[in-house]
Amino acid sequence: MAKKWLITGFIFAALAIIIGAFGAHSLKELVANGSLAESSLQNFETGARYQMYHAFAIIICGILVKIFGEARCIKIAGILFVMGIILFSGSLYLLSMRGIIGMENWKWLGPLTPLGGACFIAGWITLAIGITKK
């Protein structure tokens, strides 16, 4: 199980770099020519930053499995971090670019962001409680 968490974390980290580079280069050009609002670029960058933070959190889960064994709290925390990346970062990516990719009417994306944030918080709390019990 440790290996799965480590690989998952490494992949999310690599994707955060790729997505962040896309935002830094391609989206900045769209802001410069007025096709995209500056706030959209900032939201996109927030998504990439939190994805990277939580890719590291998933890697930590892999390391903790090696130290403590396959504890249920570590598995739950890892799942919450993955869900958080998908919901929080994923929704920010899509919300930032919805005007460009023709998804202006996808208003249901907005509520996904705080749900992803709640997953991040729950993941950290789950780790804290679980490791305290070990």
Side-chain angles (χ1 to χ4, degrees), residues 48 62 70-71 99 127-128:
E70 294 195 27
L127 273 184

Side-chain angles (χ1 to χ4, degrees), residues 76-107:
I76 292 170
I79 291 168
L80 287 166
F81 293 142
V82 169
M83 288 173 47
I85 289 171
I86 292 167
L87 294 172
F88 183 87
S89 297
S91 66
L92 284 179
Y93 299 145
L94 292 173
L95 285 167
S96 298
M97 298 188 313
R98 69 182 179 175
I100 299 166
I101 57 178
M103 296 172 28
E104 295 91 350
N105 296 327
W106 287 27
K107 298 188 187 324

Side-chain angles (χ1 to χ4, degrees), residues 24-36:
H25 299 289
S26 299
L27 293 183
K28 270 192 181 167
E29 289 178 25
L30 294 174
V31 169
N33 71 25
S35 301
L36 188 70

